[in-house]
Amino acid sequence: MAAPERRLPRTQGQRTADSRSLILDAAIEGLVSDGYRCTTTVTIQARAGVTRGRLLHHFPSREELLIAAAQHLARERLTEMDDWIARSPHGRASGAERIEHATDLLWETFRQPYFWAAMELWTAARTEPELRMALFHAESRLLGTIETVVDAMYGPVLSSHPDFAEVRDLVFTSMRGVGLTYALHDRDPTTEPLLARWKRLLIRTLV
């Protein structure tokens, strides 16, 4: 009989990373399910199962924690989109076919927990100046990464078109606005009528 595998004790760095991840996940769960007002450091601590000291060690303020959680989830989504480019056969398509698949993937972003967590923070920031300022700087830093990934999704030929940046931003902001309507209407986002319009606009402009 083989000897049981012996697990090495976790390092301090691993324990720190694990607790940070638990806290971030708990913050996202709170924002999505309970909203900004009800997602306090106390409720996050309870969800994460960490001590008060551990939570404050990682995130001294509630605003810093909630923004970090939303940004963390956004970067995970961007990594998934990068993987799509590298691994999916659609990521090697071109022309109208590339637009079809890339636009489907982009629209999926506005149905992810990140989107609703971010919208909770944006809404709260309207009346909370400190949150607004911190969120503005965090979102500004993230925007460049988002644009780079979206450009890669559509590929170098399409993204080098002189009108690409303009139509990309138009479609992106339109998707964000339409995505918000799903807070009121319980419908299948894969049948969204504007999805076909976004694709037609991109194809007419870029192909």
Side-chain angles (χ1 to χ4, degrees):
M1 178 183 296
E5 183 179 350
R6 185 179 179 183
R7 292 187 178 182
L8 295 174
R10 293 185 303 161
T11 65
Q12 179 62 39
Q14 289 171 327
R15 289 194 295 272
T16 298
D18 288 347
S19 60
R20 180 183 172 88
S21 180
L22 286 171
I23 294 167
L24 292 173
D25 289 345
I28 287 295
E29 289 173 10
L31 279 173
V32 174
S33 64
D34 302 330
Y36 174 80
R37 298 296 175 193
C38 295
T39 305
T40 65
T41 54
V42 173
T43 61
I44 294 169
Q45 178 190 338
R47 281 180 183 271
V50 298
T51 65
R52 183 73 173 172
R54 176 63 65 181
L55 185 145
L56 294 176
H57 169 74
H58 289 292
F59 302 101
S61 73
R62 174 178 179 242
E63 289 74 18
E64 181 182 346
L65 167 54
L66 294 179
I67 292 172
Q71 298 270 303
H72 170 71
L73 198 59
R75 293 187 185 282
E76 285 189 343
R77 176 60 181 166
L78 291 172
T79 299
E80 292 173 0
M81 294 161 81
D82 261 338
D83 288 344
W84 177 86
I85 298 165
R87 299 182 183 182
S88 169
H90 301 319
R92 295 187 290 276
S94 60
E97 182 184 359
R98 180 67 170 256
I99 288 173
E100 290 274 347
H101 296 301
T103 307
D104 284 335
L105 183 64
L106 185 59
W107 174 230
E108 285 179 16
T109 299
F110 297 93
R111 311 200 300 268
Q112 302 296 320
Y114 153 71
F115 173 67
W116 293 111
M119 292 304 99
E120 284 289 329
L121 293 175
W122 282 34
T123 302
R126 187 181 70 85
T127 55
E128 296 195 17
E130 289 186 12
L131 175 62
R132 181 168 66 248
M133 184 62 68
L135 187 60
F136 173 78
H137 290 303
E139 289 285 329
S140 297
R141 290 192 297 269
L142 185 63
L143 179 61
T145 304
I146 292 173
E147 291 178 348
T148 298
V149 172
V150 173
D151 291 359
M153 281 168 47
Y154 284 91
V157 174
L158 294 170
S159 63
S160 65
H161 191 285
D163 295 325
F164 177 79
E166 183 176 4
V167 74
R168 175 202 63 204
D169 293 348
L170 179 63
V171 169
F172 190 89
T173 53
S174 177
M175 284 183 175
R176 183 165 56 206
V178 173
L180 279 171
T181 68
Y182 283 75
L184 301 177
H185 301 286
D186 185 16
R187 61 190 192 274
D188 182 1
T190 63
T191 62
E192 170 58 51
L194 281 170
L195 180 58
R197 295 186 186 182
W198 292 322
K199 292 176 180 178
R200 287 197 299 270
L201 173 62
L202 286 160
I203 290 170
R204 283 200 306 266
T205 305
L206 304 176
V207 178

